[in-house]
Amino acid sequence: ATLLLTIGSAIAQSPDQSVAQANHAVRLYQEACIKNFAIPARVSAWATSAVLVEIPSPHSGAFLNGRAGTVWGATNALGNFVVVSHLEGMCSVQARRANAEAAKIGYLQSLPAQIGGLTKTQVSESTRDTPTGPMYTLAHEIGGEKSPVIVTTVLSTSESEQAPMQAIFSIATRKK
């Protein structure tokens, strides 16, 4: 994972390139995580069909944070990306470089206001200091009275060149 994160990190980023990186991360998030409802078997099948490369242990551990799951590298000409699927039903896409505003716009557009009677509600928005600079986080819940689950989506971005990842898109489901 360290190698994946450092490849190309010294290359200067143009504004257009960082927007393209954010847009690509949003597409990965929609395809891998949202469409597959963060279900690990479905995310895995999608990663196989997309011909992503599984990142083996111990390198995958940097993305799993001690949880069981699988990590795939999705590096391409645009930059370094990973898809992370935790076995407890969380999926994330992480972009080494990404324009924060484009990431936020894409994240918000990827979440419809209503999904079959379920309603999207913003539950938090904050900025906190980290060792590499400010980290912005925006979270939503999607659910309804009759829904047996609550879906939580989160976007975290950093504009710092020192941040290990500049954009992280996540979705998780939990039973009520």
Side-chain angles (χ1 to χ4, degrees):
T2 303
L3 178 62
L4 174 71
L5 295 178
T6 57
I7 295 173
S9 63
I11 298 172
Q13 298 287 300
S14 72
D16 289 344
Q17 184 176 11
S18 69
V19 169
Q21 290 166 323
N23 291 339
H24 181 69
V26 169
R27 281 191 299 277
L28 283 172
Y29 177 59
Q30 291 170 332
E31 293 294 319
C33 299
I34 293 175
K35 285 185 178 178
N36 293 307
F37 209 59
I39 298 169
R42 290 175 56 179
V43 175
S44 181
W46 175 86
T48 299
S49 71
V51 194
L52 299 185
V53 177
E54 187 173 333
I55 297 174
S57 183
H59 305 292
S60 61
F63 302 100
L64 292 169
N65 298 318
R67 298 179 180 154
T70 308
V71 179
W72 296 271
T75 298
N76 62 21
L78 286 172
N80 300 311
F81 308 89
V82 293
V83 175
V84 181
S85 177
H86 293 110
L87 290 182
E88 71 269 10
M90 185 176 91
C91 179
S92 69
V93 169
Q94 303 180 23
R96 173 70 181 104
R97 296 278 178 244
N99 177 282
E101 188 59 28
K104 181 179 178 181
I105 290 168
Y107 164 80
L108 290 171
Q109 290 176 344
S110 69
L111 302 174
Q114 285 199 324
I115 306 169
L118 304 179
T119 304
K120 173 183 78 172
T121 306
Q122 180 177 317
V123 292
S124 69
E125 182 174 27
S126 64
T127 301
R128 65 180 173 88
D129 289 327
T130 72
T132 61
M135 168 92 45
Y136 169 81
T137 301
L138 178 61
H140 289 84
E141 284 187 348
I142 302 169
E145 285 184 30
K146 297 180 182 179
S147 173
V149 298
I150 294 176
V151 177
T152 303
T153 64
V154 179
L155 168 68
S156 294
T157 62
S158 173
E159 295 182 14
S160 170
E161 292 290 320
Q162 287 72 43
M165 294 291 180
Q166 285 187 324
I168 302 171
F169 303 81
S170 326
I171 185 170
T173 58
R174 63 182 163 84
K175 292 183 180 182
K176 284 186 175 179

